[in-house]
Amino acid sequence: MATIRPFVALRPQEVYLDKMLSLKAPSCNGRGNGFIARMLDKGHSGDQGLTNANILANLKRMIRSGDFYQEEHPCIFIYEITQGNHVQTGVWAVTDLDDFDRGHIKTHESTADCNSSGLIDYRDEVGLEGGPLLITYRPNRAISSILNQIKKAEANSVYYADKIFHRIWTVYDLKTIRELSLYFSELQHVYLADGHHRLLAAAKYRNMDSKTILESGNFISSFYLSSDQLRIKESYRVIIPAGEIFLDQVFRTMKRIFSVTKSQRNEPVIPVQEREFGLFMDGKWYRMVYKMKDKAGLPDACLLQQTVFEPLFKIENPETDEQVISVGGGSALNEIQQILADNPAAIAFTLAVINADQLMDIAHQGIKLPPKSTWVEPKIPFGLLLRKL
């Protein structure tokens, strides 16, 4: 079940948007406020010491000067990303946070140790949402039919940056909005693909004192994409040990758990099967295959966390531990090789990529992967559609 509604979007002028599209999306762990401040200050650098008050002042000034304008009516948006031959088309609306409270939105990433205070303060003091949640659902013929019908008309807005087309169809028609809302409400479950910290912060903020929160605080900006269009890319880990590591002892311990073989010609190991991992240590690449009896059926990321990261490197939370660098996306291997070149003591682990069905099954079973275990696309650029609370 997904309870979606239209919203009044805050949108940048097209000339200004070109600059925003060319920059990477901010992190979602509460440290992206400086990025947002720069975006709300005509791209100026120097975000040291910026507070939420600075960000809010920037936003107000840019609205007054016309850099941002607000839609006249609540709308649902059809948003399409085209990169080469790959097209992703989904629905951008707001989601009722009650769906999360009632278990209708299934999540797959652990947020138990998440410090969401920065995001909560930002939501409270600035009153602005940037990037939407990325929510997926199993393919639905009725929803696809409506989207295809809407796309027969010319898109209201078309942007191009970094070899990617961004198209937006603005849906004002109340009948179409009602139909889309009905079909989404009939979905049995939907699955959060990206944005776990944002969702948790929004839910916490709404639950802090519901009497003083405006109705808009009960909803969160969301982009819904059918699972057959979701792209899940490589997501690897690099460990730069904080102290001295006895590599021989680490290697012997791992060989008790994994079958370990040297990579031919010392080429990087890119696993394609479950329970298979690549290891780079002391200048050499290895292929590791888990050889213990696996009664729990844990996903690879959980298995690696429980058998290697926590016992051997004392890493309890890969997101906050300064020893860990998470690298994801199509260029992950190149980034890892650069990190390894710059840090001779670094140790790298590569994992097989899971698919959308596996991701939804993990979420449905209630399994929580360690933070940053997946790299899910699209990464929606900041600034296309904003929402004021």
PDB file of all heavy atoms in Angstrom, residues 109-135:
ATOM      1  N   GLU A 109      17.821  -1.496   4.975  1.00  0.00           N
ATOM      2  CA  GLU A 109      19.096  -1.030   5.517  1.00  0.00           C
ATOM      3  C   GLU A 109      18.964  -0.713   6.995  1.00  0.00           C
ATOM      4  O   GLU A 109      17.991  -0.096   7.429  1.00  0.00           O
ATOM      5  CB  GLU A 109      19.562   0.216   4.756  1.00  0.00           C
ATOM      6  CG  GLU A 109      20.919   0.742   5.196  1.00  0.00           C
ATOM      7  CD  GLU A 109      21.354   1.938   4.377  1.00  0.00           C
ATOM      8  OE1 GLU A 109      21.552   1.786   3.158  1.00  0.00           O
ATOM      9  OE2 GLU A 109      21.498   3.042   4.955  1.00  0.00           O
ATOM     10  N   SER A 110      19.956  -1.105   7.762  1.00  0.00           N
ATOM     11  CA  SER A 110      19.946  -0.853   9.198  1.00  0.00           C
ATOM     12  C   SER A 110      20.120   0.630   9.489  1.00  0.00           C
ATOM     13  O   SER A 110      21.016   1.281   8.946  1.00  0.00           O
ATOM     14  CB  SER A 110      21.067  -1.640   9.881  1.00  0.00           C
ATOM     15  OG  SER A 110      21.154  -1.300  11.247  1.00  0.00           O
ATOM     16  N   THR A 111      19.260   1.154  10.337  1.00  0.00           N
ATOM     17  CA  THR A 111      19.388   2.545  10.793  1.00  0.00           C
ATOM     18  C   THR A 111      19.420   2.608  12.318  1.00  0.00           C
ATOM     19  O   THR A 111      19.187   3.654  12.910  1.00  0.00           O
ATOM     20  CB  THR A 111      18.215   3.401  10.271  1.00  0.00           C
ATOM     21  OG1 THR A 111      16.972   2.780  10.644  1.00  0.00           O
ATOM     22  CG2 THR A 111      18.266   3.544   8.765  1.00  0.00           C
ATOM     23  N   ALA A 112      19.737   1.463  12.950  1.00  0.00           N
ATOM     24  CA  ALA A 112      19.695   1.388  14.408  1.00  0.00           C
ATOM     25  C   ALA A 112      20.659   2.372  15.052  1.00  0.00           C
ATOM     26  O   ALA A 112      20.377   2.934  16.115  1.00  0.00           O
ATOM     27  CB  ALA A 112      20.013  -0.037  14.856  1.00  0.00           C
ATOM     28  N   ASP A 113      21.822   2.575  14.437  1.00  0.00           N
ATOM     29  CA  ASP A 113      22.824   3.470  15.013  1.00  0.00           C
ATOM     30  C   ASP A 113      22.860   4.815  14.308  1.00  0.00           C
ATOM     31  O   ASP A 113      23.838   5.551  14.400  1.00  0.00           O
ATOM     32  CB  ASP A 113      24.215   2.818  14.924  1.00  0.00           C
ATOM     33  CG  ASP A 113      24.280   1.510  15.693  1.00  0.00           C
ATOM     34  OD1 ASP A 113      23.694   1.453  16.790  1.00  0.00           O
ATOM     35  OD2 ASP A 113      24.897   0.553  15.197  1.00  0.00           O
ATOM     36  N   CYS A 114      21.791   5.121  13.601  1.00  0.00           N
ATOM     37  CA  CYS A 114      21.762   6.352  12.815  1.00  0.00           C
ATOM     38  C   CYS A 114      21.536   7.563  13.717  1.00  0.00           C
ATOM     39  O   CYS A 114      20.594   7.586  14.505  1.00  0.00           O
ATOM     40  CB  CYS A 114      20.659   6.275  11.765  1.00  0.00           C
ATOM     41  SG  CYS A 114      20.268   7.858  10.984  1.00  0.00           S
ATOM     42  N   ASN A 115      22.403   8.550  13.587  1.00  0.00           N
ATOM     43  CA  ASN A 115      22.203   9.820  14.275  1.00  0.00           C
ATOM     44  C   ASN A 115      21.502  10.761  13.302  1.00  0.00           C
ATOM     45  O   ASN A 115      22.139  11.354  12.431  1.00  0.00           O
ATOM     46  CB  ASN A 115      23.543  10.402  14.725  1.00  0.00           C
ATOM     47  CG  ASN A 115      23.373  11.708  15.479  1.00  0.00           C
ATOM     48  OD1 ASN A 115      22.254  12.162  15.727  1.00  0.00           O
ATOM     49  ND2 ASN A 115      24.478  12.327  15.833  1.00  0.00           N
ATOM     50  N   SER A 116      20.200  10.875  13.441  1.00  0.00           N
ATOM     51  CA  SER A 116      19.410  11.653  12.489  1.00  0.00           C
ATOM     52  C   SER A 116      19.131  13.067  12.978  1.00  0.00           C
ATOM     53  O   SER A 116      18.310  13.771  12.385  1.00  0.00           O
ATOM     54  CB  SER A 116      18.083  10.927  12.214  1.00  0.00           C
ATOM     55  OG  SER A 116      17.385  10.683  13.418  1.00  0.00           O
ATOM     56  N   SER A 117      19.805  13.483  14.058  1.00  0.00           N
ATOM     57  CA  SER A 117      19.491  14.792  14.633  1.00  0.00           C
ATOM     58  C   SER A 117      19.746  15.924  13.639  1.00  0.00           C
ATOM     59  O   SER A 117      19.004  16.908  13.606  1.00  0.00           O
ATOM     60  CB  SER A 117      20.308  15.015  15.908  1.00  0.00           C
ATOM     61  OG  SER A 117      21.701  14.946  15.634  1.00  0.00           O
ATOM     62  N   GLY A 118      20.815  15.799  12.810  1.00  0.00           N
ATOM     63  CA  GLY A 118      21.102  16.846  11.839  1.00  0.00           C
ATOM     64  C   GLY A 118      19.988  17.008  10.826  1.00  0.00           C
ATOM     65  O   GLY A 118      19.587  18.126  10.490  1.00  0.00           O
ATOM     66  N   LEU A 119      19.452  15.890  10.358  1.00  0.00           N
ATOM     67  CA  LEU A 119      18.359  15.935   9.391  1.00  0.00           C
ATOM     68  C   LEU A 119      17.066  16.429  10.037  1.00  0.00           C
ATOM     69  O   LEU A 119      16.279  17.133   9.400  1.00  0.00           O
ATOM     70  CB  LEU A 119      18.151  14.554   8.774  1.00  0.00           C
ATOM     71  CG  LEU A 119      19.204  14.114   7.741  1.00  0.00           C
ATOM     72  CD1 LEU A 119      19.034  12.640   7.410  1.00  0.00           C
ATOM     73  CD2 LEU A 119      19.114  14.940   6.483  1.00  0.00           C
ATOM     74  N   ILE A 120      16.840  16.040  11.285  1.00  0.00           N
ATOM     75  CA  ILE A 120      15.637  16.506  11.985  1.00  0.00           C
ATOM     76  C   ILE A 120      15.708  18.014  12.197  1.00  0.00           C
ATOM     77  O   ILE A 120      14.732  18.739  11.951  1.00  0.00           O
ATOM     78  CB  ILE A 120      15.485  15.765  13.330  1.00  0.00           C
ATOM     79  CG1 ILE A 120      15.156  14.283  13.084  1.00  0.00           C
ATOM     80  CG2 ILE A 120      14.393  16.416  14.180  1.00  0.00           C
ATOM     81  CD1 ILE A 120      15.127  13.442  14.347  1.00  0.00           C
ATOM     82  N   ASP A 121      16.872  18.504  12.652  1.00  0.00           N
ATOM     83  CA  ASP A 121      17.023  19.950  12.858  1.00  0.00           C
ATOM     84  C   ASP A 121      16.850  20.703  11.541  1.00  0.00           C
ATOM     85  O   ASP A 121      16.223  21.769  11.504  1.00  0.00           O
ATOM     86  CB  ASP A 121      18.405  20.254  13.445  1.00  0.00           C
ATOM     87  CG  ASP A 121      18.543  19.772  14.887  1.00  0.00           C
ATOM     88  OD1 ASP A 121      17.498  19.492  15.520  1.00  0.00           O
ATOM     89  OD2 ASP A 121      19.686  19.661  15.361  1.00  0.00           O
ATOM     90  N   TYR A 122      17.415  20.151  10.483  1.00  0.00           N
ATOM     91  CA  TYR A 122      17.302  20.802   9.180  1.00  0.00           C
ATOM     92  C   TYR A 122      15.837  20.884   8.752  1.00  0.00           C
ATOM     93  O   TYR A 122      15.360  21.914   8.279  1.00  0.00           O
ATOM     94  CB  TYR A 122      18.112  20.019   8.147  1.00  0.00           C
ATOM     95  CG  TYR A 122      17.992  20.558   6.745  1.00  0.00           C
ATOM     96  CD1 TYR A 122      18.709  21.674   6.346  1.00  0.00           C
ATOM     97  CD2 TYR A 122      17.153  19.952   5.825  1.00  0.00           C
ATOM     98  CE1 TYR A 122      18.597  22.184   5.067  1.00  0.00           C
ATOM     99  CE2 TYR A 122      17.027  20.446   4.546  1.00  0.00           C
ATOM    100  CZ  TYR A 122      17.755  21.555   4.162  1.00  0.00           C
ATOM    101  OH  TYR A 122      17.641  22.053   2.901  1.00  0.00           O
ATOM    102  N   ARG A 123      15.117  19.793   8.944  1.00  0.00           N
ATOM    103  CA  ARG A 123      13.702  19.758   8.568  1.00  0.00           C
ATOM    104  C   ARG A 123      12.907  20.774   9.389  1.00  0.00           C
ATOM    105  O   ARG A 123      12.014  21.453   8.878  1.00  0.00           O
ATOM    106  CB  ARG A 123      13.165  18.342   8.783  1.00  0.00           C
ATOM    107  CG  ARG A 123      11.833  18.030   8.140  1.00  0.00           C
ATOM    108  CD  ARG A 123      11.507  16.545   8.342  1.00  0.00           C
ATOM    109  NE  ARG A 123      10.251  16.214   7.702  1.00  0.00           N
ATOM    110  CZ  ARG A 123      10.133  15.835   6.439  1.00  0.00           C
ATOM    111  NH1 ARG A 123      11.201  15.759   5.677  1.00  0.00           N
ATOM    112  NH2 ARG A 123       8.957  15.548   5.919  1.00  0.00           N
ATOM    113  N   ASP A 124      13.259  20.880  10.681  1.00  0.00           N
ATOM    114  CA  ASP A 124      12.523  21.763  11.573  1.00  0.00           C
ATOM    115  C   ASP A 124      12.863  23.234  11.334  1.00  0.00           C
ATOM    116  O   ASP A 124      11.981  24.089  11.279  1.00  0.00           O
ATOM    117  CB  ASP A 124      12.831  21.370  13.019  1.00  0.00           C
ATOM    118  CG  ASP A 124      12.059  22.196  14.028  1.00  0.00           C
ATOM    119  OD1 ASP A 124      10.855  22.438  13.796  1.00  0.00           O
ATOM    120  OD2 ASP A 124      12.656  22.619  15.031  1.00  0.00           O
ATOM    121  N   GLU A 125      14.152  23.544  11.165  1.00  0.00           N
ATOM    122  CA  GLU A 125      14.589  24.931  11.131  1.00  0.00           C
ATOM    123  C   GLU A 125      14.577  25.539   9.734  1.00  0.00           C
ATOM    124  O   GLU A 125      14.380  26.751   9.582  1.00  0.00           O
ATOM    125  CB  GLU A 125      16.000  25.023  11.739  1.00  0.00           C
ATOM    126  CG  GLU A 125      16.025  24.621  13.214  1.00  0.00           C
ATOM    127  CD  GLU A 125      17.438  24.414  13.741  1.00  0.00           C
ATOM    128  OE1 GLU A 125      18.389  24.782  13.019  1.00  0.00           O
ATOM    129  OE2 GLU A 125      17.579  23.872  14.844  1.00  0.00           O
ATOM    130  N   VAL A 126      14.803  24.707   8.717  1.00  0.00           N
ATOM    131  CA  VAL A 126      14.795  25.218   7.342  1.00  0.00           C
ATOM    132  C   VAL A 126      13.441  24.974   6.678  1.00  0.00           C
ATOM    133  O   VAL A 126      12.966  25.786   5.893  1.00  0.00           O
ATOM    134  CB  VAL A 126      15.931  24.585   6.511  1.00  0.00           C
ATOM    135  CG1 VAL A 126      15.902  25.090   5.068  1.00  0.00           C
ATOM    136  CG2 VAL A 126      17.279  24.884   7.147  1.00  0.00           C
ATOM    137  N   GLY A 127      12.801  23.844   7.021  1.00  0.00           N
ATOM    138  CA  GLY A 127      11.487  23.549   6.447  1.00  0.00           C
ATOM    139  C   GLY A 127      11.538  23.263   4.971  1.00  0.00           C
ATOM    140  O   GLY A 127      10.649  23.667   4.214  1.00  0.00           O
ATOM    141  N   LEU A 128      12.579  22.534   4.539  1.00  0.00           N
ATOM    142  CA  LEU A 128      12.750  22.257   3.110  1.00  0.00           C
ATOM    143  C   LEU A 128      13.141  20.808   2.922  1.00  0.00           C
ATOM    144  O   LEU A 128      13.959  20.270   3.663  1.00  0.00           O
ATOM    145  CB  LEU A 128      13.843  23.156   2.523  1.00  0.00           C
ATOM    146  CG  LEU A 128      14.162  22.971   1.042  1.00  0.00           C
ATOM    147  CD1 LEU A 128      13.012  23.492   0.178  1.00  0.00           C
ATOM    148  CD2 LEU A 128      15.461  23.698   0.680  1.00  0.00           C
ATOM    149  N   GLU A 129      12.528  20.161   1.922  1.00  0.00           N
ATOM    150  CA  GLU A 129      12.964  18.838   1.502  1.00  0.00           C
ATOM    151  C   GLU A 129      13.694  18.966   0.175  1.00  0.00           C
ATOM    152  O   GLU A 129      13.287  19.710  -0.705  1.00  0.00           O
ATOM    153  CB  GLU A 129      11.764  17.894   1.326  1.00  0.00           C
ATOM    154  CG  GLU A 129      11.180  17.429   2.633  1.00  0.00           C
ATOM    155  CD  GLU A 129      10.105  16.380   2.429  1.00  0.00           C
ATOM    156  OE1 GLU A 129       9.529  16.309   1.334  1.00  0.00           O
ATOM    157  OE2 GLU A 129       9.846  15.642   3.377  1.00  0.00           O
ATOM    158  N   GLY A 130      14.797  18.260   0.052  1.00  0.00           N
ATOM    159  CA  GLY A 130      15.560  18.289  -1.190  1.00  0.00           C
ATOM    160  C   GLY A 130      15.279  17.066  -2.035  1.00  0.00           C
ATOM    161  O   GLY A 130      14.271  16.969  -2.705  1.00  0.00           O
ATOM    162  N   GLY A 131      16.172  16.099  -1.976  1.00  0.00           N
ATOM    163  CA  GLY A 131      16.001  14.878  -2.757  1.00  0.00           C
ATOM    164  C   GLY A 131      14.886  14.008  -2.207  1.00  0.00           C
ATOM    165  O   GLY A 131      14.688  13.921  -0.997  1.00  0.00           O
ATOM    166  N   PRO A 132      14.148  13.339  -3.088  1.00  0.00           N
ATOM    167  CA  PRO A 132      13.063  12.461  -2.618  1.00  0.00           C
ATOM    168  C   PRO A 132      13.575  11.098  -2.193  1.00  0.00           C
ATOM    169  O   PRO A 132      14.697  10.711  -2.534  1.00  0.00           O
ATOM    170  CB  PRO A 132      12.186  12.330  -3.878  1.00  0.00           C
ATOM    171  CG  PRO A 132      13.185  12.381  -5.000  1.00  0.00           C
ATOM    172  CD  PRO A 132      14.242  13.368  -4.552  1.00  0.00           C
ATOM    173  N   LEU A 133      12.758  10.373  -1.446  1.00  0.00           N
ATOM    174  CA  LEU A 133      13.002   8.949  -1.250  1.00  0.00           C
ATOM    175  C   LEU A 133      12.903   8.260  -2.606  1.00  0.00           C
ATOM    176  O   LEU A 133      12.157   8.699  -3.481  1.00  0.00           O
ATOM    177  CB  LEU A 133      11.963   8.338  -0.316  1.00  0.00           C
ATOM    178  CG  LEU A 133      11.764   8.926   1.079  1.00  0.00           C
ATOM    179  CD1 LEU A 133      10.650   8.168   1.802  1.00  0.00           C
ATOM    180  CD2 LEU A 133      13.044   8.928   1.870  1.00  0.00           C
ATOM    181  N   LEU A 134      13.634   7.176  -2.770  1.00  0.00           N
ATOM    182  CA  LEU A 134      13.472   6.328  -3.944  1.00  0.00           C
ATOM    183  C   LEU A 134      12.763   5.061  -3.483  1.00  0.00           C
ATOM    184  O   LEU A 134      13.306   4.286  -2.697  1.00  0.00           O
ATOM    185  CB  LEU A 134      14.824   5.999  -4.567  1.00  0.00           C
ATOM    186  CG  LEU A 134      14.807   5.033  -5.768  1.00  0.00           C
ATOM    187  CD1 LEU A 134      13.937   5.571  -6.897  1.00  0.00           C
ATOM    188  CD2 LEU A 134      16.234   4.765  -6.260  1.00  0.00           C
ATOM    189  N   ILE A 135      11.533   4.880  -3.945  1.00  0.00           N
ATOM    190  CA  ILE A 135      10.704   3.754  -3.521  1.00  0.00           C
ATOM    191  C   ILE A 135      10.379   2.908  -4.746  1.00  0.00           C
ATOM    192  O   ILE A 135      10.035   3.433  -5.815  1.00  0.00           O
ATOM    193  CB  ILE A 135       9.408   4.238  -2.853  1.00  0.00           C
ATOM    194  CG1 ILE A 135       9.742   5.086  -1.612  1.00  0.00           C
ATOM    195  CG2 ILE A 135       8.524   3.063  -2.453  1.00  0.00           C
ATOM    196  CD1 ILE A 135       8.515   5.639  -0.885  1.00  0.00           C
TER     197      ILE A 135
END
